[in-house]
Amino acid sequence: MRVMVAVKRVVDYAVKIRLTPDKTNVELKNVKMSMNPFCENALEEAVRLKEKKIASEIVAVSIGPKQAQETLRSALAMGADRAILITTDMRTDNEIQPLTIAKILQKTAQEVKPDLILMGKQSIDGDNCLTGPMLGGLLGWPQGTFASKIEVDWANKTIEVERETDSGTQVLSMKLPSVVTADLRLNEPRYATLPNIMKAKKKNPSMSKMLAV
């Protein structure tokens, strides 16, 4: 079973946000960047599936500037097997809209051919909660959003997703391949070990330029 995990480079959640001098945008220069927290939950769940011998390969995918290689190296250090970076000079917090991101991930999924796509329910910069549902719609796959628990039955090619709702929880049973977006309550992401961090520094994510979609 191959799992594709979409991860995003964002301003670190602990950083105090500053505006650009013209007050039109968030300042990104000389600011600590890290992996979106919800993406960490998605990646952690993929690694746990691999530890259970359910997943055989984890492919981390990111869209952003060349500096997003560091985010992907963090994913490799956490347990991803390989990484793909689609580079762009446009800002991913407000210049590229969720539908464009979903279309890029759709094309990437058609090449990677995953059995499951995991991603954060939202990014902490845009807070749109739209990319996952749009990706599921474009692929024509079942989707489980705001997941707080996941159970995969690989023998029957099904996945059970417990998801958070305004009135409690809902359990969905879906056929694979599927798209699942992770909530913070899904798990507690691990810290990458020093040996894995050092190994990841020697790995270079495969890169391609973002084209018109």
Side-chain angles (χ1 to χ4, degrees):
M1 174 179 171
R2 180 177 294 125
V3 182
M4 186 176 105
V5 184
V7 297
K8 186 177 182 182
R9 178 179 183 262
V10 298
V11 176
D12 188 88
Y13 72 93
V15 169
K16 186 176 181 180
I17 296 298
R18 295 181 292 109
L19 295 178
T20 54
D22 61 4
K23 309 292 185 184
T24 61
N25 229 326
V26 173
E27 181 62 75
L28 298 182
K29 292 180 180 178
N30 301 315
V31 173
K32 181 183 178 183
M33 307 292 284
S34 61
M35 188 186 301
N36 179 51
F38 294 100
C39 298
E40 289 184 337
N41 292 105
L43 181 59
E44 172 64 27
E45 196 65 22
V47 173
R48 293 187 185 190
L49 288 173
K50 189 173 181 182
E51 290 173 342
K52 294 175 183 176
K53 309 298 183 184
I54 298 173
S56 58
E57 184 184 28
I58 301 170
V59 183
V61 179
S62 190
I63 301 163
K66 291 183 178 179
Q67 294 90 325
Q69 289 182 83
E70 293 307 312
T71 304
L72 287 172
R73 287 194 180 97
S74 296
L76 292 168
M78 282 181 67
D81 297 293
R82 58 190 177 102
I84 300 170
L85 173 61
I86 296 93
T87 60
T88 175
D89 295 327
M90 297 175 68
R91 289 180 59 136
T92 55
D93 58 342
N94 56 24
E95 290 183 339
I96 304 179
Q97 297 303 309
L99 180 58
T100 302
I101 298 294
K103 287 181 176 180
I104 295 169
L105 292 175
Q106 176 195 17
K107 290 190 174 183
T108 306
Q110 290 168 346
E111 296 177 5
V112 174
K113 294 179 169 53
D115 301 291
L116 174 65
I117 297 177
L118 291 171
M119 58 200 310
K121 69 171 186 176
Q122 66 194 78
S123 60
I124 61 173
D125 51 7
D127 277 334
N128 292 303
C129 293
L130 294 173
T131 303
M134 286 179 171
L135 176 59
L138 289 169
L139 289 169
W141 291 5
Q143 55 181 278
T145 56
F146 307 98
S148 58
K149 185 179 180 181
I150 295 173
E151 293 289 341
V152 176
D153 183 353
W154 182 234
N156 293 310
K157 303 290 192 297
T158 60
I159 182 170
E160 189 173 275
V161 178
E162 183 175 310
R163 62 187 298 270
E164 303 280 340
T165 69
D166 291 337
S167 58
T169 59
Q170 178 185 38
V171 178
L172 304 177
S173 183
M174 308 182 298
K175 287 286 188 181
L176 293 172
S178 298
V179 176
V180 176
T181 68
D183 204 339
L184 290 177
R185 283 171 285 279
L186 180 60
N187 53 48
E188 182 69 31
R190 71 193 64 197
Y191 290 102
T193 63
L194 182 59
N196 286 343
I197 292 173
M198 299 308 293
K199 289 177 185 176
K201 285 183 179 292
K202 300 177 182 178
K203 298 179 181 179
N204 291 316
S206 61
M207 298 172 61
S208 61
K209 184 72 175 175
M210 188 183 84
L211 302 175
V213 291

